[in-house]
Amino acid sequence: MHIGCQDAQEPEETGPILLEDLGLGLVDLPQGCTQVEASDEPLDLVCELIETTETPAGPAGTVRLELGEPSDFGFELADVSALDALREEHRPLFEALPGGEFLGVGGALFYGPFGSARYTRGRFQAEDGATLQRIRFFMVHPTENRLVTLVYDHPPVDRADSAARINNHLLVLLENLRSSDDLRAAMAEGEAPAED
C-alpha cells in the first residue's frame, strides 16, 4: 500500500490518541503527519507527503476529522447504488465553498476496522486566495449511526500525488481508527492494538 525506500531517518511514533468526545481513537499517525496541538478541532493534522521509491515528496496538507449528525437511516457505503446518492449529497458541500468545484465520487471501495469507506473530491479557494484540493474520506461510526469523515485539504497536485495521499495518509488513518473503548482497553492491557 505505501511501501518504498525511505531516507535513513526512522518515522517518529506518536502512540495512541484518544478522542473521547467522539467515541474514537487512533493507534498511531501515518508517517509525515503531526498533530496540531493548539487547535479547536478534535483531530487536526499537518501531513507532508514523504518521498518513497513510488512517489516524490509533496507539499504539506491538513487533515481534520468531522462527525456527522446521527441518522435514523442506515448508510450503505458498500452498495454501488450509494455512488449516486453520495454524488447528490456531496456536490453541495463543495459548491458552497468559495470557488468550490465538485470533482466526483471515488469509485474504489475501501475497508477498515469500521467496515466500508469511500471518498469524494473537489477544489475550492482558501481565505488567502490559494486554490486547494479537498478529499472527503468517510466511513460509518463504529458505535453510532453517523458518518465519520477525514477532510484532507492540500495544494493542487497531479493524480499520482492524490493517490499517494490517499494510500499513505488516509488509508493509514483508516486502518488505525478504533472505537475509544477498544483503544482504551488495549492501552490498559499494555498492548498495541492489533492492526486489521
Side-chain angles (χ1 to χ4, degrees), residues 1 6 30-31 76 118 130-131 141 146 156 170 174 182 185-187:
M1 186 169 71
Q6 306 292 331
Q31 186 178 7
E76 298 296 332
R118 290 200 182 268
T131 298
H141 194 284
R146 59 171 68 191
L170 293 174
L174 173 68
D182 288 348
M187 290 166 63

Side-chain angles (χ1 to χ4, degrees), residues 17-18 28 74 94 118 158:
I17 299 171
L18 276 170
D28 203 357
F94 288 95
R118 290 200 182 268
D158 59 23

Side-chain angles (χ1 to χ4, degrees), residues 13-164:
E13 292 192 17
T14 59
I17 299 171
L18 276 170
L19 307 168
E20 291 282 3
D21 292 346
L22 305 181
L24 300 170
L26 280 166
V27 175
D28 203 357
L29 296 179
Q31 186 178 7
C33 293
T34 55
Q35 191 169 11
V36 177
E37 298 297 337
S39 174
D40 295 333
E41 301 286 344
L43 181 70
D44 192 358
L45 307 176
V46 173
C47 293
E48 180 184 356
L49 194 57
I50 304 297
E51 183 174 1
T52 70
T53 53
E54 284 99 25
T55 57
T62 61
V63 178
R64 72 177 190 282
L65 191 145
E66 290 180 354
L67 199 57
E69 292 298 318
S71 174
D72 294 333
F73 305 101
F75 297 97
E76 298 296 332
L77 297 179
D79 191 5
V80 175
S81 66
L83 295 176
D84 289 335
L86 292 171
R87 199 170 283 112
E88 284 205 22
E89 291 171 17
H90 282 245
R91 180 182 300 277
L93 296 177
F94 288 95
E95 292 179 348
L97 297 168
E101 181 183 359
F102 179 64
L103 298 176
V105 178
L109 179 65
F110 304 99
Y111 291 95
F114 304 162
S116 53
R118 290 200 182 268
Y119 72 93
T120 54
R121 296 183 316 112
R123 63 178 144 238
F124 68 101
Q125 253 188 337
E127 288 181 10
D128 64 2
T131 298
L132 293 177
Q133 290 186 194
R134 173 169 287 178
I135 303 169
R136 295 182 60 83
F137 192 85
F138 47 94
M139 69 242 42
V140 179
H141 194 284
T143 60
E144 303 171 22
N145 195 28
R146 59 171 68 191
L147 289 180
V148 175
T149 305
L150 296 168
V151 181
Y152 195 162
D153 293 338
H154 58 85
V157 291
D158 59 23
R159 283 187 176 273
D161 185 293
S162 286

